[in-house]
């Protein structure tokens, strides 16, 4: 499937947002995800089906000061 992930075009074999995060080695409850500008809550990631050319944003918190 062709996806735009954080502004970069990629081809990934994933059908749900959870599968995509696993394929990209993103783990943890502290991720924020959006698909086509719509926030997808953690509890909804398993059921969120992706489509070709979806735009996915994955944000992780940064530590420091």
């Amino acid at each position: 499937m062709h996806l735009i992930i954080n502004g970069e075009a990629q081809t990934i074999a994933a059908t749900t947002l959870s599968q995509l995060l696993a394929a990209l080695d993103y783990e943890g409850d502290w991720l924020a995800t959006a698909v086509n500008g719509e926030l997808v809550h953690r509890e909804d990631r398993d059921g969120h089906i992706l489509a070709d050319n979806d735009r996915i944003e994955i944000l992780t918190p940064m530590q420091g000061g």
Side-chain angles (χ1 to χ4, degrees):
M1 177 169 315
H2 302 286
L3 302 168
I4 310 296
I5 303 168
N6 292 341
E8 183 180 318
Q10 295 188 37
T11 301
I12 305 256
T15 56
T16 67
L17 187 53
S18 291
Q19 291 173 353
L20 173 67
L21 293 172
L24 295 174
D25 291 326
Y26 281 102
E27 295 182 15
D29 294 334
W30 296 101
L31 295 174
T33 55
V35 177
N36 299 322
E38 297 285 328
L39 180 66
V40 179
H41 295 281
R42 178 181 56 223
E43 60 271 9
D44 298 328
R45 292 177 188 159
D46 285 339
H48 191 95
I49 306 299
L50 300 173
D52 263 345
N53 300 312
D54 273 352
R55 294 175 119 0
I56 292 108
E57 296 296 326
I58 304 168
L59 302 171
T60 58
M62 294 184 65
Q63 292 181 315

